[in-house]
mmCIF file of all heavy atoms in Angstrom:
data_model
loop_
_atom_site.group_PDB
_atom_site.id
_atom_site.type_symbol
_atom_site.label_atom_id
_atom_site.label_comp_id
_atom_site.label_asym_id
_atom_site.label_seq_id
_atom_site.Cartn_x
_atom_site.Cartn_y
_atom_site.Cartn_z
ATOM 1 N N GLY A 683 59.166 21.153 -7.094
ATOM 2 C CA GLY A 683 59.451 22.338 -7.910
ATOM 3 C C GLY A 683 60.859 22.239 -8.479
ATOM 4 O O GLY A 683 61.533 21.204 -8.358
ATOM 5 N N GLY A 684 61.337 23.355 -9.068
ATOM 6 C CA GLY A 684 62.664 23.358 -9.701
ATOM 7 C C GLY A 684 63.786 23.068 -8.725
ATOM 8 O O GLY A 684 64.721 22.311 -9.035
ATOM 9 N N ASP A 685 63.739 23.646 -7.510
ATOM 10 C CA ASP A 685 64.803 23.434 -6.517
ATOM 11 C C ASP A 685 64.887 21.955 -6.129
ATOM 12 O O ASP A 685 65.968 21.377 -6.051
ATOM 13 C CB ASP A 685 64.551 24.278 -5.262
ATOM 14 C CG ASP A 685 64.709 25.769 -5.545
ATOM 15 O OD1 ASP A 685 65.267 26.101 -6.620
ATOM 16 O OD2 ASP A 685 64.259 26.585 -4.719
ATOM 17 N N GLU A 686 63.693 21.354 -5.848
ATOM 18 C CA GLU A 686 63.683 19.941 -5.449
ATOM 19 C C GLU A 686 64.197 19.058 -6.599
ATOM 20 O O GLU A 686 64.926 18.093 -6.374
ATOM 21 C CB GLU A 686 62.267 19.492 -5.062
ATOM 22 C CG GLU A 686 61.758 20.043 -3.733
ATOM 23 C CD GLU A 686 61.029 21.370 -3.897
ATOM 24 O OE1 GLU A 686 60.882 21.830 -5.058
ATOM 25 O OE2 GLU A 686 60.595 21.926 -2.886
ATOM 26 N N ARG A 687 63.798 19.421 -7.812
ATOM 27 C CA ARG A 687 64.197 18.601 -8.974
ATOM 28 C C ARG A 687 65.718 18.617 -9.130
ATOM 29 O O ARG A 687 66.346 17.601 -9.417
ATOM 30 C CB ARG A 687 63.507 19.112 -10.238
ATOM 31 C CG ARG A 687 63.685 18.180 -11.417
ATOM 32 C CD ARG A 687 62.673 18.415 -12.525
ATOM 33 N NE ARG A 687 62.734 19.761 -13.092
ATOM 34 C CZ ARG A 687 61.825 20.706 -12.870
ATOM 35 N NH1 ARG A 687 60.774 20.460 -12.093
ATOM 36 N NH2 ARG A 687 61.945 21.899 -13.424
ATOM 37 N N ALA A 688 66.304 19.791 -8.926
ATOM 38 C CA ALA A 688 67.764 19.920 -9.050
ATOM 39 C C ALA A 688 68.485 19.041 -8.025
ATOM 40 O O ALA A 688 69.577 18.522 -8.292
ATOM 41 C CB ALA A 688 68.176 21.383 -8.876
ATOM 42 N N GLN A 689 67.859 18.865 -6.851
ATOM 43 C CA GLN A 689 68.463 18.052 -5.789
ATOM 44 C C GLN A 689 68.048 16.573 -5.859
ATOM 45 O O GLN A 689 68.528 15.759 -5.071
ATOM 46 C CB GLN A 689 68.063 18.609 -4.421
ATOM 47 C CG GLN A 689 68.546 20.022 -4.151
ATOM 48 C CD GLN A 689 67.909 20.600 -2.894
ATOM 49 O OE1 GLN A 689 67.884 19.963 -1.845
ATOM 50 N NE2 GLN A 689 67.384 21.814 -3.007
ATOM 51 N N GLY A 690 67.113 16.236 -6.771
ATOM 52 C CA GLY A 690 66.640 14.840 -6.887
ATOM 53 C C GLY A 690 65.783 14.416 -5.715
ATOM 54 O O GLY A 690 65.801 13.250 -5.302
ATOM 55 N N VAL A 691 65.019 15.379 -5.143
ATOM 56 C CA VAL A 691 64.159 15.068 -3.986
ATOM 57 C C VAL A 691 62.712 15.486 -4.287
ATOM 58 O O VAL A 691 62.447 16.192 -5.262
ATOM 59 C CB VAL A 691 64.649 15.786 -2.702
ATOM 60 C CG1 VAL A 691 66.034 15.316 -2.327
ATOM 61 C CG2 VAL A 691 64.591 17.305 -2.864
ATOM 62 N N VAL A 692 61.803 15.050 -3.420
ATOM 63 C CA VAL A 692 60.395 15.473 -3.504
ATOM 64 C C VAL A 692 59.906 15.822 -2.101
ATOM 65 O O VAL A 692 60.418 15.294 -1.104
ATOM 66 C CB VAL A 692 59.463 14.370 -4.084
ATOM 67 C CG1 VAL A 692 59.747 14.127 -5.549
ATOM 68 C CG2 VAL A 692 59.559 13.086 -3.287
ATOM 69 N N GLN A 693 58.942 16.720 -2.040
ATOM 70 C CA GLN A 693 58.254 16.985 -0.773
ATOM 71 C C GLN A 693 57.018 16.092 -0.707
ATOM 72 O O GLN A 693 56.264 15.984 -1.685
ATOM 73 C CB GLN A 693 57.806 18.447 -0.709
ATOM 74 C CG GLN A 693 58.925 19.431 -0.481
ATOM 75 C CD GLN A 693 58.375 20.812 -0.181
ATOM 76 O OE1 GLN A 693 57.525 20.965 0.702
ATOM 77 N NE2 GLN A 693 58.850 21.808 -0.921
ATOM 78 N N ILE A 694 56.810 15.466 0.455
ATOM 79 C CA ILE A 694 55.617 14.631 0.659
ATOM 80 C C ILE A 694 54.807 15.277 1.770
ATOM 81 O O ILE A 694 55.272 15.398 2.911
ATOM 82 C CB ILE A 694 55.989 13.182 1.032
ATOM 83 C CG1 ILE A 694 56.824 12.575 -0.093
ATOM 84 C CG2 ILE A 694 54.738 12.355 1.269
ATOM 85 C CD1 ILE A 694 57.265 11.152 0.170
ATOM 86 N N LYS A 695 53.604 15.727 1.425
ATOM 87 C CA LYS A 695 52.746 16.432 2.383
ATOM 88 C C LYS A 695 51.655 15.480 2.873
ATOM 89 O O LYS A 695 50.847 14.994 2.087
ATOM 90 C CB LYS A 695 52.133 17.654 1.693
ATOM 91 C CG LYS A 695 51.429 18.626 2.630
ATOM 92 C CD LYS A 695 50.990 19.864 1.853
ATOM 93 C CE LYS A 695 50.296 20.893 2.722
ATOM 94 N NZ LYS A 695 51.164 21.496 3.728
ATOM 95 N N ASP A 696 51.691 15.169 4.173
ATOM 96 C CA ASP A 696 50.672 14.316 4.801
ATOM 97 C C ASP A 696 49.438 15.188 5.054
ATOM 98 O O ASP A 696 49.383 15.938 6.021
ATOM 99 C CB ASP A 696 51.231 13.743 6.106
ATOM 100 C CG ASP A 696 50.251 12.815 6.830
ATOM 101 O OD1 ASP A 696 49.041 12.908 6.557
ATOM 102 O OD2 ASP A 696 50.705 12.013 7.671
ATOM 103 N N LEU A 697 48.462 15.116 4.171
ATOM 104 C CA LEU A 697 47.318 16.037 4.243
ATOM 105 C C LEU A 697 46.397 15.719 5.417
ATOM 106 O O LEU A 697 45.762 16.614 5.970
ATOM 107 C CB LEU A 697 46.531 15.980 2.925
ATOM 108 C CG LEU A 697 47.319 16.425 1.687
ATOM 109 C CD1 LEU A 697 46.496 16.235 0.426
ATOM 110 C CD2 LEU A 697 47.761 17.879 1.816
ATOM 111 N N ILE A 698 46.316 14.460 5.791
ATOM 112 C CA ILE A 698 45.456 14.071 6.935
ATOM 113 C C ILE A 698 46.061 14.605 8.226
ATOM 114 O O ILE A 698 45.393 15.234 9.046
ATOM 115 C CB ILE A 698 45.308 12.540 7.035
ATOM 116 C CG1 ILE A 698 44.855 11.942 5.689
ATOM 117 C CG2 ILE A 698 44.351 12.165 8.159
ATOM 118 C CD1 ILE A 698 43.487 12.354 5.226
ATOM 119 N N GLU A 699 47.363 14.360 8.400
ATOM 120 C CA GLU A 699 48.042 14.819 9.607
ATOM 121 C C GLU A 699 48.097 16.339 9.638
ATOM 122 O O GLU A 699 47.899 16.963 10.681
ATOM 123 C CB GLU A 699 49.464 14.229 9.640
ATOM 124 C CG GLU A 699 50.244 14.536 10.909
ATOM 125 C CD GLU A 699 49.735 13.808 12.141
ATOM 126 O OE1 GLU A 699 48.728 13.072 12.042
ATOM 127 O OE2 GLU A 699 50.319 13.997 13.207
ATOM 128 N N GLY A 700 48.336 16.948 8.475
ATOM 129 C CA GLY A 700 48.402 18.407 8.407
ATOM 130 C C GLY A 700 47.104 19.042 8.837
ATOM 131 O O GLY A 700 47.082 20.033 9.582
ATOM 132 N N LYS A 701 45.992 18.445 8.405
ATOM 133 C CA LYS A 701 44.669 18.973 8.757
ATOM 134 C C LYS A 701 44.444 18.851 10.269
ATOM 135 O O LYS A 701 43.942 19.758 10.917
ATOM 136 C CB LYS A 701 43.599 18.184 7.995
ATOM 137 C CG LYS A 701 42.224 18.839 8.024
ATOM 138 C CD LYS A 701 41.203 17.971 7.303
ATOM 139 C CE LYS A 701 41.388 18.025 5.810
ATOM 140 N NZ LYS A 701 40.317 17.298 5.097
ATOM 141 N N ARG A 702 44.861 17.705 10.827
ATOM 142 C CA ARG A 702 44.682 17.496 12.268
ATOM 143 C C ARG A 702 45.555 18.465 13.062
ATOM 144 O O ARG A 702 45.102 19.095 14.027
ATOM 145 C CB ARG A 702 45.041 16.049 12.629
ATOM 146 C CG ARG A 702 44.746 15.702 14.087
ATOM 147 C CD ARG A 702 45.041 14.251 14.361
ATOM 148 N NE ARG A 702 46.453 13.962 14.413
ATOM 149 C CZ ARG A 702 47.233 14.225 15.453
ATOM 150 N NH1 ARG A 702 46.745 14.823 16.527
ATOM 151 N NH2 ARG A 702 48.517 13.920 15.425
ATOM 152 N N LEU A 703 46.811 18.584 12.648
ATOM 153 C CA LEU A 703 47.742 19.441 13.388
ATOM 154 C C LEU A 703 47.310 20.897 13.373
ATOM 155 O O LEU A 703 47.427 21.601 14.365
ATOM 156 C CB LEU A 703 49.157 19.311 12.799
ATOM 157 C CG LEU A 703 49.848 17.964 13.002
ATOM 158 C CD1 LEU A 703 51.176 17.935 12.273
ATOM 159 C CD2 LEU A 703 50.048 17.655 14.477
ATOM 160 N N SER A 704 46.786 21.340 12.240
ATOM 161 C CA SER A 704 46.382 22.745 12.148
ATOM 162 C C SER A 704 45.295 23.078 13.159
ATOM 163 O O SER A 704 45.178 24.205 13.615
ATOM 164 C CB SER A 704 45.896 23.057 10.733
ATOM 165 O OG SER A 704 44.695 22.347 10.463
ATOM 166 N N GLY A 705 44.508 22.074 13.562
ATOM 167 C CA GLY A 705 43.438 22.316 14.519
ATOM 168 C C GLY A 705 43.846 22.069 15.954
ATOM 169 O O GLY A 705 43.234 22.576 16.882
ATOM 170 N N GLU A 706 44.934 21.268 16.154
ATOM 171 C CA GLU A 706 45.249 20.811 17.505
ATOM 172 C C GLU A 706 46.461 21.512 18.133
ATOM 173 O O GLU A 706 46.529 21.713 19.329
ATOM 174 C CB GLU A 706 45.537 19.301 17.491
ATOM 175 C CG GLU A 706 44.276 18.461 17.298
ATOM 176 C CD GLU A 706 44.605 16.983 17.374
ATOM 177 O OE1 GLU A 706 45.751 16.634 17.713
ATOM 178 O OE2 GLU A 706 43.700 16.170 17.093
ATOM 179 N N ILE A 707 47.466 21.857 17.306
ATOM 180 C CA ILE A 707 48.734 22.331 17.864
ATOM 181 C C ILE A 707 48.653 23.810 18.254
ATOM 182 O O ILE A 707 48.199 24.641 17.478
ATOM 183 C CB ILE A 707 49.879 22.064 16.874
ATOM 184 C CG1 ILE A 707 50.135 20.553 16.856
ATOM 185 C CG2 ILE A 707 51.137 22.825 17.238
ATOM 186 C CD1 ILE A 707 51.170 20.104 15.877
ATOM 187 N N THR A 708 49.108 24.093 19.473
ATOM 188 C CA THR A 708 49.010 25.484 19.965
ATOM 189 C C THR A 708 50.373 26.138 20.149
ATOM 190 O O THR A 708 50.473 27.344 20.259
ATOM 191 C CB THR A 708 48.255 25.513 21.315
ATOM 192 O OG1 THR A 708 48.908 24.620 22.221
ATOM 193 C CG2 THR A 708 46.812 25.082 21.124
ATOM 194 N N ASP A 709 51.456 25.339 20.244
ATOM 195 C CA ASP A 709 52.773 25.961 20.376
ATOM 196 C C ASP A 709 53.843 25.146 19.651
ATOM 197 O O ASP A 709 53.602 24.022 19.232
ATOM 198 C CB ASP A 709 53.147 26.162 21.856
ATOM 199 C CG ASP A 709 53.203 24.834 22.607
ATOM 200 O OD1 ASP A 709 53.718 23.843 22.047
ATOM 201 O OD2 ASP A 709 52.718 24.796 23.761
ATOM 202 N N ASN A 710 55.047 25.701 19.548
ATOM 203 C CA ASN A 710 56.123 25.081 18.774
ATOM 204 C C ASN A 710 56.603 23.756 19.377
ATOM 205 O O ASN A 710 57.018 22.855 18.663
ATOM 206 C CB ASN A 710 57.314 26.043 18.651
ATOM 207 C CG ASN A 710 56.996 27.182 17.693
ATOM 208 O OD1 ASN A 710 56.103 27.049 16.863
ATOM 209 N ND2 ASN A 710 57.722 28.292 17.819
ATOM 210 N N ALA A 711 56.548 23.656 20.699
ATOM 211 C CA ALA A 711 56.994 22.416 21.355
ATOM 212 C C ALA A 711 56.112 21.248 20.909
ATOM 213 O O ALA A 711 56.598 20.162 20.593
ATOM 214 C CB ALA A 711 56.942 22.580 22.878
ATOM 215 N N GLU A 712 54.802 21.488 20.913
ATOM 216 C CA GLU A 712 53.875 20.451 20.454
ATOM 217 C C GLU A 712 54.165 20.079 19.015
ATOM 218 O O GLU A 712 54.109 18.921 18.632
ATOM 219 C CB GLU A 712 52.427 20.949 20.568
ATOM 220 C CG GLU A 712 51.842 20.855 21.963
ATOM 221 C CD GLU A 712 50.360 21.219 21.958
ATOM 222 O OE1 GLU A 712 49.586 20.507 21.281
ATOM 223 O OE2 GLU A 712 50.007 22.217 22.588
ATOM 224 N N TRP A 713 54.451 21.082 18.201
ATOM 225 C CA TRP A 713 54.715 20.835 16.781
ATOM 226 C C TRP A 713 55.927 19.906 16.603
ATOM 227 O O TRP A 713 55.893 18.961 15.825
ATOM 228 C CB TRP A 713 54.974 22.160 16.071
ATOM 229 C CG TRP A 713 55.398 21.973 14.642
ATOM 230 C CD1 TRP A 713 56.651 21.942 14.142
ATOM 231 C CD2 TRP A 713 54.531 21.753 13.529
ATOM 232 N NE1 TRP A 713 56.640 21.726 12.801
ATOM 233 C CE2 TRP A 713 55.337 21.603 12.384
ATOM 234 C CE3 TRP A 713 53.143 21.680 13.388
ATOM 235 C CZ2 TRP A 713 54.827 21.378 11.119
ATOM 236 C CZ3 TRP A 713 52.628 21.464 12.122
ATOM 237 C CH2 TRP A 713 53.458 21.314 11.005
ATOM 238 N N ARG A 714 56.984 20.180 17.394
ATOM 239 C CA ARG A 714 58.205 19.373 17.255
ATOM 240 C C ARG A 714 57.962 17.929 17.685
ATOM 241 O O ARG A 714 58.545 17.002 17.138
ATOM 242 C CB ARG A 714 59.341 19.991 18.085
ATOM 243 C CG ARG A 714 59.966 21.225 17.421
ATOM 244 C CD ARG A 714 61.252 21.629 18.118
ATOM 245 N NE ARG A 714 61.031 22.054 19.509
ATOM 246 C CZ ARG A 714 60.685 23.289 19.852
ATOM 247 N NH1 ARG A 714 60.543 24.220 18.930
ATOM 248 N NH2 ARG A 714 60.519 23.607 21.122
ATOM 249 N N GLU A 715 57.090 17.729 18.701
ATOM 250 C CA GLU A 715 56.830 16.371 19.190
ATOM 251 C C GLU A 715 55.874 15.610 18.265
ATOM 252 O O GLU A 715 55.844 14.389 18.255
ATOM 253 C CB GLU A 715 56.208 16.432 20.592
ATOM 254 C CG GLU A 715 57.225 16.837 21.655
ATOM 255 C CD GLU A 715 56.562 17.108 23.003
ATOM 256 O OE1 GLU A 715 55.403 16.694 23.176
ATOM 257 O OE2 GLU A 715 57.205 17.749 23.849
ATOM 258 N N ALA A 716 55.063 16.334 17.535
ATOM 259 C CA ALA A 716 54.058 15.676 16.685
ATOM 260 C C ALA A 716 54.725 15.069 15.455
ATOM 261 O O ALA A 716 55.860 15.400 15.109
ATOM 262 C CB ALA A 716 53.011 16.700 16.245
ATOM 263 N N ARG A 717 53.988 14.136 14.831
ATOM 264 C CA ARG A 717 54.486 13.586 13.571
ATOM 265 C C ARG A 717 54.551 14.710 12.554
ATOM 266 O O ARG A 717 53.624 15.504 12.432
ATOM 267 C CB ARG A 717 53.514 12.492 13.091
ATOM 268 C CG ARG A 717 54.115 11.622 12.017
ATOM 269 C CD ARG A 717 53.268 10.387 11.769
ATOM 270 N NE ARG A 717 52.231 10.650 10.791
ATOM 271 C CZ ARG A 717 50.978 10.251 10.902
ATOM 272 N NH1 ARG A 717 50.591 9.615 11.979
ATOM 273 N NH2 ARG A 717 50.100 10.496 9.959
ATOM 274 N N VAL A 718 55.671 14.833 11.854
ATOM 275 C CA VAL A 718 55.847 15.914 10.901
ATOM 276 C C VAL A 718 54.856 15.750 9.760
ATOM 277 O O VAL A 718 54.678 14.660 9.229
ATOM 278 C CB VAL A 718 57.297 15.924 10.353
ATOM 279 C CG1 VAL A 718 57.498 17.049 9.347
ATOM 280 C CG2 VAL A 718 58.296 16.051 11.492
ATOM 281 N N ALA A 719 54.187 16.866 9.368
ATOM 282 C CA ALA A 719 53.158 16.781 8.337
ATOM 283 C C ALA A 719 53.738 16.929 6.939
ATOM 284 O O ALA A 719 53.047 16.702 5.965
ATOM 285 C CB ALA A 719 52.096 17.850 8.579
ATOM 286 N N GLN A 720 55.016 17.322 6.823
ATOM 287 C CA GLN A 720 55.625 17.471 5.498
ATOM 288 C C GLN A 720 57.088 17.056 5.579
ATOM 289 O O GLN A 720 57.807 17.485 6.469
ATOM 290 C CB GLN A 720 55.494 18.914 5.018
ATOM 291 C CG GLN A 720 55.874 19.099 3.555
ATOM 292 C CD GLN A 720 55.306 20.400 2.996
ATOM 293 O OE1 GLN A 720 54.146 20.723 3.260
ATOM 294 N NE2 GLN A 720 56.093 21.135 2.253
ATOM 295 N N GLU A 721 57.500 16.175 4.665
ATOM 296 C CA GLU A 721 58.875 15.666 4.687
ATOM 297 C C GLU A 721 59.477 15.780 3.299
ATOM 298 O O GLU A 721 58.772 15.735 2.292
ATOM 299 C CB GLU A 721 58.908 14.198 5.126
ATOM 300 C CG GLU A 721 58.419 13.982 6.547
ATOM 301 C CD GLU A 721 58.559 12.520 6.968
ATOM 302 O OE1 GLU A 721 59.669 11.981 6.858
ATOM 303 O OE2 GLU A 721 57.548 11.927 7.384
ATOM 304 N N VAL A 722 60.830 15.855 3.279
ATOM 305 C CA VAL A 722 61.560 15.854 2.007
ATOM 306 C C VAL A 722 62.330 14.537 1.930
ATOM 307 O O VAL A 722 63.049 14.171 2.869
ATOM 308 C CB VAL A 722 62.541 17.048 1.933
ATOM 309 C CG1 VAL A 722 63.356 16.984 0.645
ATOM 310 C CG2 VAL A 722 61.783 18.365 2.016
ATOM 311 N N VAL A 723 62.125 13.795 0.829
ATOM 312 C CA VAL A 723 62.825 12.511 0.667
ATOM 313 C C VAL A 723 63.407 12.441 -0.742
ATOM 314 O O VAL A 723 62.962 13.138 -1.664
ATOM 315 C CB VAL A 723 61.886 11.296 0.895
ATOM 316 C CG1 VAL A 723 61.294 11.314 2.283
ATOM 317 C CG2 VAL A 723 60.800 11.225 -0.161
ATOM 318 N N ALA A 724 64.386 11.558 -0.916
ATOM 319 C CA ALA A 724 64.964 11.332 -2.240
ATOM 320 C C ALA A 724 63.901 10.719 -3.152
ATOM 321 O O ALA A 724 63.020 9.972 -2.691
ATOM 322 C CB ALA A 724 66.166 10.401 -2.134
ATOM 323 N N GLU A 725 64.013 11.019 -4.443
ATOM 324 C CA GLU A 725 63.035 10.455 -5.405
ATOM 325 C C GLU A 725 62.960 8.932 -5.284
ATOM 326 O O GLU A 725 61.879 8.348 -5.369
ATOM 327 C CB GLU A 725 63.440 10.829 -6.839
ATOM 328 C CG GLU A 725 63.168 12.276 -7.191
ATOM 329 C CD GLU A 725 63.546 12.596 -8.637
ATOM 330 O OE1 GLU A 725 63.839 11.652 -9.404
ATOM 331 O OE2 GLU A 725 63.546 13.788 -9.007
ATOM 332 N N ALA A 726 64.106 8.296 -5.061
ATOM 333 C CA ALA A 726 64.149 6.830 -4.983
ATOM 334 C C ALA A 726 63.357 6.292 -3.788
ATOM 335 O O ALA A 726 62.926 5.139 -3.787
ATOM 336 C CB ALA A 726 65.606 6.354 -4.900
ATOM 337 N N ASP A 727 63.184 7.133 -2.759
ATOM 338 C CA ASP A 727 62.473 6.691 -1.535
ATOM 339 C C ASP A 727 60.998 7.101 -1.539
ATOM 340 O O ASP A 727 60.300 6.899 -0.535
ATOM 341 C CB ASP A 727 63.154 7.296 -0.295
ATOM 342 C CG ASP A 727 64.588 6.815 -0.151
ATOM 343 O OD1 ASP A 727 64.867 5.674 -0.572
ATOM 344 O OD2 ASP A 727 65.423 7.594 0.364
ATOM 345 N N LEU A 728 60.535 7.685 -2.634
ATOM 346 C CA LEU A 728 59.169 8.219 -2.690
ATOM 347 C C LEU A 728 58.126 7.158 -2.334
ATOM 348 O O LEU A 728 57.295 7.352 -1.429
ATOM 349 C CB LEU A 728 58.892 8.788 -4.095
ATOM 350 C CG LEU A 728 57.416 9.095 -4.431
ATOM 351 C CD1 LEU A 728 56.905 10.235 -3.567
ATOM 352 C CD2 LEU A 728 57.255 9.452 -5.910
ATOM 353 N N VAL A 729 58.153 6.023 -3.021
ATOM 354 C CA VAL A 729 57.112 5.002 -2.831
ATOM 355 C C VAL A 729 57.131 4.461 -1.405
ATOM 356 O O VAL A 729 56.088 4.329 -0.751
ATOM 357 C CB VAL A 729 57.262 3.861 -3.865
ATOM 358 C CG1 VAL A 729 56.291 2.721 -3.556
ATOM 359 C CG2 VAL A 729 57.022 4.381 -5.283
#
Side-chain angles (χ1 to χ4, degrees):
D685 292 346
E686 288 90 3
R687 190 161 60 253
Q689 298 170 49
V691 298
V692 291
Q693 286 190 52
I694 300 179
K695 191 174 181 66
D696 181 339
L697 298 176
I698 308 295
E699 185 71 358
K701 193 183 286 186
R702 186 177 73 78
L703 292 175
S704 67
E706 287 183 8
I707 288 176
T708 55
D709 61 41
N710 287 339
E712 280 186 62
W713 174 264
R714 283 192 296 275
E715 287 171 16
R717 195 168 87 224
V718 180
Q720 190 161 317
E721 296 184 54
V722 176
V723 300
E725 286 182 10
D727 297 329
L728 167 66
V729 173

